[in-house]
Amino acid sequence: MRTDHKETSEMIDKLMFPLALTFALGALAACGGEDATQTDELATELCEHLASGPSVAVTSSTVAASAPDTSTAHTRFDIALTPGVAGQVSYQVGEAGEYVFAFDREVAVALTDPSGAALPAEATERDSAACAELKLWITYDLAIGKHTLALGPGQDTEVRMVVEESGAEHTHE
Amino acid sequence: MRSTQHSRSEVWLALLLFVAPGCALEDGQPWGRAVMSLEAAFAPAADRLDPQGRLITSASYAVALDAPTVTLEAFTLAMAGEAGASGAVFDPANPPEGYSLCHNGHCHADDGALVAYEDIQAELDQASGGGGGFSLTVGVDETPTALTATPATLTLEACPGDCALPRGEVQTVSVGVHQLHLSGRMYDATSQGRLPSEGRAFTAALEIEQAVDVAFSRAVDRGEPVEVQVAARFTLPASLLDRIELGELLTDPSGAVDLSTSTPFLQDILQNLSEAEALEVLP
């Protein structure tokens, strides 16, 4: 009788293990799928604003204190640059988190926090399959406060930039 | 057999006892009655404060705020529904002209007809144009309230119409922000020298005159509890001073700064207030 019970238990174990494994892998795949969907949605969002705006034209500054603000969400900033000079713009963060800075061309980007310390990028990606406009997008983990982006130096006279909070729900008002 | 009848009657009695407390149509009772309370606080999250406990703004100013004070007004429940659309609320205890003896969901009309409460409410709506929504507004004591992390309970004035609500659905809760008084000392949290290193004292007595609201869904209907509990909390948003270039508002390079009459400052405050979720209904 004990033997029968043991055999039954082993049989259940044998049956349950692949089932549990399948479930676990399925769950993992679902999580991965969600991440991929979020990434796709973010790329679509960035593409939409890079291609269609709304847009605001600003002129970059050589001085951080007078760098124009580019904090408006869901907006493309057409930033005028001086060839050979790093142009600066500012970005204000009201909610700490990950932010993606997207550009329509290759450009050197250096971001500093409110104290002037350089911040490393969390991730850098290039040439999105989502659209031709999305050439470069860089993810930073930002705290609350005013940050400064130095763009260039390069030969371009303009770069287009869109910034979105990564992973946040995107709502258009 | 007797046993079966007994248990059936017990079931009916139990059902009656179960349903009765939830029925909104007792004699002389309105469809609903609001039970309202209001509190206010200022409780910035930890990542909004620097090690000295100063509020960090998105523009990287560090602001050592004295307890802000606020004066609230017009605590309002806004409803939508077929009843009360005109703002005139049918009260069975005080029926409109032409009706009397209101009980059990209907009134006796002067011509002898029995007319349902909802039909009388519809008549009231039609008589005064209808089409709008009903709102119940309670006044708030105008004594300025000092805001701290511990919510302060505000004193409400007497509720008009004994807080009676018509049949329908409460959809929005709002409160008017009448005045806001800020004072403290602001510092530049960057190395850009936008303010003197010792900071700058400031004060601002602002006429806000702006309502903040929050969606709140609660049916007032047959089968719903008569009492509609609405405990709301106004929280002065930590983002109140975001995007404001405080250094640029200084016209007098020395002494305390009075921002009470600064239109750009007020506009930025209004904008930040409207974008924040400053009002919530507590569970």
Side-chain angles (χ1 to χ4, degrees):
Chain A
M1 193 67 179
R2 274 182 82 168
T3 310
D4 286 350
H5 179 70
K6 191 179 174 189
E7 282 175 357
T8 307
S9 295
E10 284 173 353
M11 191 177 294
I12 288 172
D13 285 348
K14 281 179 184 172
L15 281 170
M16 287 305 290
F17 178 73
L19 274 175
L21 186 65
T22 305
F23 177 77
L25 289 173
L28 280 173
C31 292
E34 195 173 306
D35 284 349
T37 303
Q38 277 188 349
T39 305
D40 290 347
E41 284 176 0
L42 181 59
T44 303
E45 176 85 7
L46 294 168
C47 285
E48 182 185 311
H49 293 304
L50 277 172
S52 310
S55 64
V56 173
V58 295
T59 300
S60 62
S61 169
T62 54
V63 182
S66 53
D69 180 53
T70 58
S71 308
T72 310
H74 309 302
T75 301
R76 185 187 79 212
F77 284 88
D78 299 343
I79 303 166
L81 300 170
T82 302
V85 177
Q88 300 185 65
V89 296
S90 67
Y91 186 81
Q92 295 189 21
V93 175
E95 188 177 344
E98 281 194 344
Y99 289 78
V100 177
F101 292 73
F103 302 91
D104 73 332
R105 68 198 64 193
E106 187 68 32
V107 61
V109 180
L111 191 143
T112 53
D113 71 9
S115 70
L119 277 181
E122 296 286 312
T124 300
E125 297 177 77
R126 290 181 168 81
D127 297 324
S128 170
C131 66
E133 288 85 357
L134 184 49
K135 296 290 189 192
L136 169 68
W137 66 106
I138 308 173
T139 305
Y140 291 98
D141 198 1
L142 303 182
I144 292 168
K146 186 178 184 179
H147 297 71
T148 303
L149 281 103
L151 305 171
Q155 294 308 308
D156 289 316
T157 56
E158 184 190 84
V159 62
R160 294 179 168 187
M161 179 179 81
V162 174
V163 186
E164 295 285 347
E165 192 174 357
S166 169
E169 289 180 17
H170 290 91
T171 54
H172 289 250
E173 292 171 3
Chain B
M1 190 66 181
R2 193 181 164 204
S3 163
T4 307
Q5 280 181 343
H6 179 68
S7 47
R8 190 174 295 166
S9 62
E10 279 178 350
V11 168
W12 282 115
L13 182 61
L15 272 174
L16 187 65
L17 289 171
F18 177 74
V19 169
C23 179
L25 288 174
E26 294 170 26
D27 286 359
Q29 283 270 41
W31 284 96
R33 193 179 303 284
V35 180
M36 301 162 72
S37 63
L38 180 64
E39 56 185 39
F42 178 56
D47 67 354
R48 270 283 177 180
L49 301 173
D50 71 4
Q52 289 78 44
R54 302 176 300 190
L55 182 72
I56 295 293
T57 75
S58 72
S60 285
Y61 287 91
V63 184
L65 277 175
D66 305 328
T69 62
V70 70
T71 308
L72 302 178
E73 61 184 1
F75 183 22
T76 301
L77 305 187
M79 294 184 68
E82 71 267 25
S86 62
V89 187
F90 167 66
D91 181 1
N94 184 25
E97 194 176 350
Y99 296 98
S100 60
L101 296 171
C102 298
H103 60 103
N104 290 340
H106 62 259
C107 297
H108 293 258
D110 286 350
D111 63 2
L114 292 176
V115 183
Y117 287 176
E118 48 266 57
D119 293 336
I120 301 172
Q121 180 65 63
E123 285 179 19
L124 289 173
D125 291 341
Q126 195 172 14
S128 53
F134 171 80
S135 65
L136 173 69
T137 298
V138 181
V140 183
D141 181 63
E142 290 187 1
T143 306
T145 302
L147 302 177
T148 65
T150 304
T153 302
L154 281 79
T155 303
L156 302 181
E157 295 174 355
C159 196
D162 204 18
C163 280
L165 298 172
R167 190 181 192 183
E169 183 185 9
V170 179
Q171 293 191 324
T172 311
V173 177
S174 66
V175 68
V177 183
H178 177 40
Q179 293 171 322
L180 177 66
H181 188 269
L182 303 171
S183 64
R185 184 171 281 269
M186 50 190 171
Y187 302 82
D188 184 3
T190 72
S191 54
Q192 297 171 4
R194 295 174 296 174
L195 288 172
S197 58
E198 70 274 18
R200 180 62 55 84
F202 78 100
T203 185
L206 305 168
E207 298 289 326
I208 300 294
E209 308 300 353
Q210 180 168 289
V212 293
D213 60 25
V214 62
F216 175 69
S217 179
R218 168 70 161 77
V220 179
D221 207 338
R222 197 184 302 275
E224 297 289 340
V226 173
E227 280 197 355
V228 178
Q229 299 276 351
V230 181
R233 179 184 294 165
F234 169 79
T235 303
L236 190 68
S239 59
L240 189 73
L241 299 172
D242 277 3
R243 294 195 294 269
I244 304 177
E245 279 298 338
L246 294 168
E248 293 180 3
L249 296 174
L250 304 178
T251 51
D252 180 2
S254 61
V257 182
D258 186 354
L259 297 172
S260 303
T261 56
S262 169
T263 304
F265 183 68
L266 177 61
Q267 285 175 339
D268 286 337
I269 293 279
L270 294 177
Q271 175 81 14
N272 289 334
L273 198 55
S274 68
E275 289 177 359
E277 293 170 355
L279 191 66
E280 62 180 318
V281 176
L282 304 173

